[in-house]
Amino acid sequence: MRPQSSLAEKKGLRLDDEVRFIRSWLQKPLAIGAVTPSGRVLARTMARYVDTSIPGPVIELGPGTGPVTEALVARGVPQKRLVLVEFNPGFCRILRSRFPEATVVQGDAYSLRRTLGDVLEEPAAAMVSGLPLLNKPMRTRIRLINEAFGLMQENAPFVQFTYSMAAPPIPKGLSRVAAEASERIWMNLPPARVWSYRRALVS
């Protein structure tokens, strides 16, 4: 049974994170993917798409204060394998404090090749994204997924969540891209869905 002080500390951290997110969102609403950090169920759902038995780095785009990062670690991804790409310098400081063994890169996730060109030593096993893709033009989203596939192993997933129930963050009809979606996650606020994209195998 966990000590009450430990639970109180975690609740305090979550409240602090929500305040930071709201402040950042008010300053730059189009740059922040959510008003509050991802909920536990959403974070665990995203982490489940990562196969921990496949070697190589696991890249997270837009980790914020780290709720999905925490879920990845709980799933069994060692911190040393994590590459966290975050634009907000304040969030970067928090991530370095909470995940000291992870590689935290302050940079633009929409320019992946430039941001990670000198960081990755081998293709990634997975990429998990909390970026607000629906706020971006379609050409930016397609460029992102193409750059992501270029940095990952052949069948590695690009995992993306969205609050939209109607439009997928990346179109399903793209050639050579296989997509699948989770059930609607009602326990998240607001409800969300997780999409997984892989390069379709060409016979």
Side-chain angles (χ1 to χ4, degrees):
M1 189 173 179
R2 293 183 180 179
Q4 286 188 347
S5 59
S6 175
L7 290 173
E9 285 174 9
K10 287 207 166 188
K11 286 180 180 178
L13 284 174
R14 287 198 294 272
L15 181 59
D16 288 346
D17 287 351
E18 289 176 3
V19 171
R20 290 188 186 99
F21 255 77
I22 292 170
R23 186 181 297 128
S24 297
W25 183 83
L26 287 172
Q27 291 171 348
K28 295 183 178 180
L30 294 180
I32 304 295
V35 180
T36 59
S38 300
R40 288 181 178 177
V41 177
L42 173 58
R44 285 198 297 263
T45 301
M46 296 180 75
R48 277 200 295 268
Y49 283 92
V50 177
D51 186 345
T52 58
S53 68
I54 298 176
V58 174
I59 301 170
E60 186 180 355
L61 308 180
T65 56
V68 177
T69 318
E70 190 175 309
L72 289 167
V73 172
R75 179 162 172 77
V77 180
Q79 285 191 32
K80 290 181 179 179
R81 290 181 58 191
L82 291 171
V83 177
L84 312 177
V85 181
E86 174 57 53
F87 189 78
N88 184 303
F91 290 165
C92 284
R93 287 191 291 271
I94 293 170
L95 292 168
R96 292 188 180 105
S97 173
R98 293 181 181 176
F99 309 99
E101 296 180 22
T103 300
V104 178
V105 180
Q106 184 181 347
D108 184 2
Y110 293 102
S111 298
L112 275 180
R113 287 187 188 138
R114 184 179 62 197
T115 301
L116 295 177
D118 297 327
V119 176
L120 296 182
E121 297 180 354
E122 59 181 314
M127 198 172 295
V128 181
S129 170
L131 299 174
L133 290 193
L134 291 180
N135 291 344
K136 295 294 183 179
M138 186 62 69
R139 64 180 179 276
T140 302
R141 295 184 242 167
I142 293 174
R143 185 179 69 240
L144 174 68
I145 193 77
N146 285 332
E147 287 194 359
F149 285 157
L151 296 173
M152 294 192 294
Q153 299 177 31
E154 186 174 344
N155 196 39
F158 181 92
V159 183
Q160 172 73 46
F161 88 90
T162 182
Y163 296 131
S164 172
M165 295 298 115
I170 295 171
K172 290 188 290 184
L174 289 180
S175 62
R176 292 182 290 181
V177 177
E180 64 174 292
S182 72
E183 296 295 326
R184 195 171 302 188
I185 303 169
W186 292 105
M187 293 181 68
N188 196 71
L189 188 64
R193 175 167 282 156
V194 176
W195 285 84
S196 174
Y197 300 90
R198 301 175 193 264
R199 278 180 290 195
L201 298 177
V202 179
S203 56

